[in-house]
Structures are given as structure tokens and as C-alpha cells.
Amino acid sequence: MNRRSLLKGLALLPALPLAGHSSLSLAEAIANAPSVVALDKPHSAWREQLSAEAYAVLFEEDTEAPGSSPLNQEKRSGTYICAACYLPLFASQHKYESGTGWPSFTQPIAGHIGTKRDARLFFLRTEYHCARCGGHQGHVFDDGPKPRSERWCNNGVALRFIAEGETLPELRS
């Protein structure tokens, strides 16, 4: 199964509304959300909208250097969105300092993440990606804090932070 067919199967999961609802808070947007619809957009089409580094991480499954993301130091309340399509992926109250050098979270926004098994480093891991555009975000591990014990280890360049009180941008197509 490839990423595109996996994402099309996620179309019934909750997500944020499309254009026209950007004045809603994150909580209101999630509460009023229709299903997430996977974009039918070739990865190469994102190249013009992203930096070379963000494109490499999101659509070539690269990894940024540990400690390189300014999001490691981000402590404000807000929402972390996919750097490609702007789908909200994490709420700031679930961010924590994991000591790994990458922004880490205890859980994603339900229905906004897809996963697949990854054995590229010769051991099995779970990769996760944006459920809307398929952009690679990072890997989830079972060594996080209680009660969930999950560490959603994210590439900072694959995210954008929107501070609480700022309007979430409209989803990009």
C-alpha cells in the first residue's frame, strides 16, 4: 500500500473545515469539522510552496539535524500546523521537552495523522504523516511520558507554529 492509497482511506476521519472558516478557534474548528479529505496533489507540486529543506523532509522523508529547529524553544500556547497544507496537527499543551533535539508531543490532534511502518534503519518504527497532504512529519515511539507513553518526534521544519489568539491560516490546496 502506498501513501496516497492510505491517505484516501483516511477520508472519513475528523479534520478542520476548508476555506471560509479561518476565523474559528482550533476547538471550534475541530468541533464543527467535516471529514479530512486527502489532497490529490503530486508531491512535486509542493516544491514551489516550500523551502528546499521543508520539501526534502515532507516529501522525500529526510530528517533535519537535531537541535536545529527554533520550535524546540517554543513555549507559547498555540497550534502546530503542517508546513505544507496547514492542517493543524498538534496542540501546544501536548508539547514537551524530550531531550531528543526535535519538537516532541504526547499526542496529535485526533484524525489528522496517518501512520505506516518504517524499517529503513533496519529496525521497525512507526512513521507518521499529515493525513491531508501526506507530508512526512516524524516517528512515534513508546518512550514518552505517562499516561500515554507516546513520543511524537517531529521535524520542526515540517511544522509551522500559530500562537494562541492568531487566526489559523486557511488550508492550502
Side-chain angles (χ1 to χ4, degrees):
M1 173 184 284
N2 66 27
R3 185 183 302 178
R4 185 172 310 276
S5 60
L6 173 67
L7 291 175
K8 285 182 180 177
L10 294 173
L12 299 177
L13 296 175
L16 287 179
L18 295 175
H21 297 284
S22 61
S23 63
L24 296 175
S25 71
L26 177 62
E28 291 169 324
I30 291 172
N32 298 320
S35 298
V36 79
V37 177
L39 294 174
D40 188 20
K41 179 175 181 171
H43 290 168
S44 60
W46 291 104
R47 192 178 301 273
E48 294 177 15
Q49 293 178 290
L50 300 166
S51 69
E53 183 182 21
Y55 181 84
V57 167
L58 286 159
F59 298 110
E60 296 175 343
E61 298 181 1
D62 200 359
T63 300
E64 69 185 359
S68 65
S69 175
L71 293 181
N72 288 332
Q73 279 55 256
E74 184 58 66
K75 307 288 187 228
R76 295 175 292 167
S77 294
T79 305
Y80 294 84
I81 65 174
C82 174
C85 73
Y86 297 167
L87 181 70
L89 301 178
F90 297 98
S92 62
Q93 69 261 32
H94 299 296
K95 185 175 186 274
Y96 76 102
E97 178 50 57
S98 66
T100 62
W102 289 281
S104 296
F105 304 86
T106 58
Q107 66 186 64
I109 294 172
H112 291 208
I113 296 288
T115 62
K116 72 176 185 178
R117 302 307 272 167
D118 172 11
R120 282 179 291 178
L121 295 181
F122 305 107
F123 61 93
L124 201 54
R125 303 182 295 175
T126 301
E127 176 198 324
Y128 65 92
H129 50 269
C130 174
R132 188 162 178 270
C133 70
H136 169 77
Q137 295 290 322
H139 290 85
V140 61
F141 302 96
D142 63 2
D143 59 0
K146 301 285 183 204
R148 294 175 61 104
S149 300
E150 296 173 358
R151 174 172 51 95
W152 295 79
C153 189
N154 218 99
N155 287 285
V157 72
L159 294 172
R160 243 182 90 186
F161 177 73
I162 307 299
E164 187 175 299
E166 293 180 18
T167 302
L168 292 171
E170 291 185 11
L171 299 177
R172 285 202 293 199
S173 296

